[in-house]
Amino acid sequence: MRYFTSVNDIGPLDKAVKEALEVKQNRFAYSHLGRNRTLLMIFFNSSLRTRLSTQKAAMNLGMNVIVLDVNNGAWKLETERGVIMDGDCPEHLLEAVPVMGCYCDIIGVRSFARFENKEDDYNEKIINQFIKYSGRPVFSMEAATGHPLQAFADLITIEEYKTKARPKVVLTWAPHPRALPQAVPNSFAQWMNAAGYDFVITHPKGYELAPEFVGNAKVTYDQDEALRGADFVYAKNWSAYADPNYGQILSKDRAWTITTEKMALTDNAYFMHCLPVRRNMIVSDDVIESDRSLVIPEAANREISAEVVLKRMLESL
Ligand code: AN0
Ligand code: CP
């Protein structure tokens, strides 16, 4: 595997999940693979889970790891070609990226949607420059339109906890005070569709996701209807995708918050969220603390999804 930015890079999902569960049984079985190999993790945005779980996965594989917070200690990077660089940025991404490639074997990039220009975000302008100019295998640690390591971890978690072959999985929008990217719901939808579950998306009007990610999912504006009979409830906020409101907040309606009453509509569903989560906006204290909450097992599986991706990249170096 040379690049990992979407479900299309991972091959058959049953094989990937099987490999993940094997890695989870013995996460040090491949510690020879990363000997004398270096992972460089580049963060343009904050992280707790991705930073720790990906570093842990790389250490399980015997790799050395370098972490760079671009906004904390590095030169501020210009990303537009053709600008006269008389402003804030002393360095251009077009030099910085190939330089970074000199010091490592694999690069992970976190670069959220900027909401300045929808085309740039949906063309994945930043991570694609790493793919084009670093000369190294590159994987997404959440880019502008997707968070595939999270969706892979979520898939592993559902496979571990499901009690039917084809569970009903519901992705529901929930309120949040700040505008968030569509990356997590996009990837979750893409991976759930690929897994072939009974998959439903629910959100208020105006929060429609990009059709290429929604695929054949059922979409409804009626959250209660969506929740009925659900086996897994995956809550997440996102900002509007559709024009002319791209990147904007259209609603903070706390009637969409996942509460015990809402969970009572489901078939004793598990609650899921990628974290970080704002309690009593996205989900009530009671639900996230209940024995049906999978937020910690999901986070734990981030180490596993990252290890499978790094293992496959190391195997193809
Ligand atoms: C980010 C998001 O919604 O994309 C990261 C989630 C993994 N969340 C926040 O910025 C709060
Ligand atoms: N879920 C997730 O990616 O969390 P971080 O933003 O803390 O890495």
Side-chain angles (χ1 to χ4, degrees):
M1 186 194 285
R2 183 121 184 120
Y3 303 110
F4 179 70
T5 60
S6 92
V7 75
N8 302 321
D9 298 316
I10 196 94
L13 282 190
D14 50 351
K15 196 161 168 261
V17 169
K18 190 163 167 267
E19 195 172 328
L21 296 176
E22 279 165 18
V23 162
K24 195 166 177 172
Q25 284 302 312
N26 182 3
R27 54 197 82 193
F28 303 107
Y30 300 93
S31 57
H32 56 283
L33 269 183
R35 202 177 115 79
N36 293 337
R37 298 291 191 184
T38 299
L39 169 66
L40 176 58
M41 300 201 289
I42 304 291
F43 287 92
F44 288 86
N45 307 95
S46 305
S47 167
L48 186 153
R49 278 143 293 274
T50 304
R51 172 185 300 247
L52 297 179
S53 63
T54 310
Q55 179 157 3
K56 177 65 165 65
M59 294 188 317
N60 294 347
L61 292 163
M63 298 186 82
N64 299 309
V65 183
I66 306 173
V67 183
L68 179 66
D69 286 303
V70 172
N71 299 322
N72 189 8
W75 304 109
K76 196 165 186 255
L77 296 177
E78 175 59 56
T79 56
E80 285 302 311
R81 192 170 174 281
V83 287
I84 298 164
M85 287 173 58
D86 62 354
D88 267 8
C89 297
E91 178 152 30
H92 204 289
L93 201 67
L94 288 169
E95 283 77 51
V97 167
V99 166
M100 291 174 193
C102 296
Y103 308 136
C104 64
D105 300 283
I106 297 175
I107 304 185
V109 180
R110 166 161 287 203
S111 173
F112 290 174
R114 298 177 171 192
F115 297 139
E116 286 163 10
N117 179 326
K118 183 174 178 174
E119 263 201 347
D120 285 355
D121 288 344
Y122 272 72
N123 288 329
E124 288 289 5
K125 193 167 165 182
I126 303 296
I127 196 167
N128 278 337
Q129 298 205 48
F130 280 85
I131 287 173
K132 207 161 161 194
Y133 300 116
S134 72
R136 300 293 173 205
V138 173
F139 64 97
S140 166
M141 299 196 298
E142 187 174 338
T145 66
H147 194 358
L149 283 176
Q150 180 65 48
F152 186 14
D154 296 331
L155 173 69
I156 297 165
T157 310
I158 292 172
E159 285 295 307
E160 287 177 317
Y161 284 86
K162 75 178 188 184
T163 55
K164 339 177 152 142
R166 190 166 176 267
K168 178 172 176 181
V169 178
V170 178
L171 167 63
T172 178
W173 180 93
H176 190 275
R178 304 240 172 93
L180 295 183
Q182 298 101 31
V184 170
N186 283 347
S187 282
F188 187 71
Q190 194 179 46
W191 288 65
M192 293 302 103
N193 282 323
Y197 299 144
D198 177 7
F199 180 51
V200 180
I201 304 175
T202 183
H203 54 71
K205 274 200 178 125
Y207 279 100
E208 292 75 15
L209 293 165
E212 65 264 33
F213 291 104
V214 173
N216 292 326
K218 279 173 241 151
V219 181
T220 170
Y221 300 131
D222 183 340
Q223 191 191 40
D224 288 1
E225 178 201 309
L227 292 175
R228 259 179 223 116
D231 298 300
F232 294 87
V233 175
Y234 195 97
K236 183 71 183 85
N237 174 266
W238 62 88
S239 61
Y241 165 76
D243 294 323
N245 299 317
Y246 177 67
Q248 288 176 23
I249 296 175
L250 307 178
S251 165
K252 294 183 190 172
D253 184 359
R254 286 181 50 233
W256 284 76
T257 302
I258 295 297
T259 59
T260 302
E261 294 69 38
K262 295 271 180 190
M263 291 300 283
L265 297 169
T266 70
D267 189 7
N268 195 24
Y270 287 107
F271 173 80
M272 300 179 73
H273 189 280
C274 63
L275 305 182
V277 73
R278 291 189 184 237
R279 283 174 174 231
N280 304 310
M281 288 295 296
I282 303 284
V283 58
S284 69
D285 291 316
D286 290 347
V287 172
I288 197 168
E289 290 169 6
S290 77
D291 60 4
R292 304 304 281 176
S293 171
L294 295 182
V295 296
I296 309 303
E298 276 178 272
N301 278 333
R302 291 293 308 276
E303 176 184 344
I304 307 305
S305 62
E307 188 164 343
V308 171
V309 168
L310 286 171
K311 170 179 171 284
R312 290 191 180 186
M313 286 188 157
L314 286 167
E315 282 166 347
S316 64
L317 280 179

